[in-house]
Amino acid sequence: MSTRIAALLLILFGSVTAAFTQNTSESKIVRVAAVTFERPRVAFTPSPAEIKSAEREIFDLINKKRAEAGLEALRWSDDLAVLAREHSDDMAEFKYFSHKGNDGTMVDDRADKLGISNWSGIGENIAFARGFDDASACAVDQWMKSPAHRQNLLDKRWKETGIGVAVLPDGTYYFTQVFLLRN
C-alpha cells in the first residue's frame, strides 16, 4: 500500500494511539498520539528561521484552541522544544514515523536522557505532512480532529510544551509536540 493511501486511510479511519504518562512512586504511564496526512505539492526547503517560526505558529494556534475551550495557555519550554526537535529530526533523518525513536526510546526515555526528570506527567503528539501550503495549521487542524490528539492538546493538567519541526527537501514535515507537568 502506498504511503499516500495509508495516510488517507489513517485520516479517514482516525487510527491513532494514546496514553497518558504520569510519574508516581508506583507507575509511569505515557500519553502519545500520532497522525499523518499528505497531498501532492512542489517541494521547498525552509530556512532554520522559517522552521522556528512554524514551531511558534503551532504553539500560538494550540493556545488559541485552548483559549476557545476556556483553558489556561501553555507556557513555551525551551528544553521541551529541544526534546521535540531532536525527535522530529530523528524521524526525518531516518525516514520513519513513530513515537518510538530510532534508538528504541519513548518520550519519557528521551526526556531522561536530556536531564528533564522533574516531571509528574509527560505526553507527546506527532504528525507527518506533505503537500500543504501551511503544514503547521494543517497539523493542528488534524490533531484537533483526532480524539487522542485533541485530548492531549486540551488537557487542563498540561502547563508547558515544546514543539519541534523538521522538514525534508521533498517538502515532508515531521512535527513533535511534548507536553509536561513538572513536579
Side-chain angles (χ1 to χ4, degrees), residues 58-129:
I58 292 169
F59 175 73
D60 292 340
L61 289 170
I62 287 166
N63 275 332
K64 181 179 177 190
K65 298 293 184 187
R66 289 176 64 86
E68 290 169 1
L71 297 169
E72 184 179 323
L74 295 169
R75 291 183 311 272
W76 179 267
S77 168
D78 288 332
D79 58 345
L80 296 181
V82 169
L83 177 63
R85 279 185 207 115
E86 286 184 1
H87 187 57
S88 289
D89 289 343
D90 190 59
M91 289 190 293
E93 180 179 351
F94 294 101
K95 295 180 178 60
Y96 71 93
F97 181 66
S98 175
H99 289 285
K100 186 182 247 184
N102 189 48
D103 61 358
T105 59
M106 296 298 284
V107 65
D108 55 332
D109 303 314
R110 294 188 296 270
D112 289 344
K113 282 184 176 182
L114 281 177
I116 304 169
S117 57
N118 57 338
W119 54 268
S120 58
I122 192 167
E124 177 180 77
N125 279 352
I126 62 173
F128 166 96

Side-chain angles (χ1 to χ4, degrees), residues 16 24 33 51 95 125 156 179:
V16 295
T24 67
I51 290 172
K95 295 180 178 60
N125 279 352
K156 65 182 179 182
F179 303 90

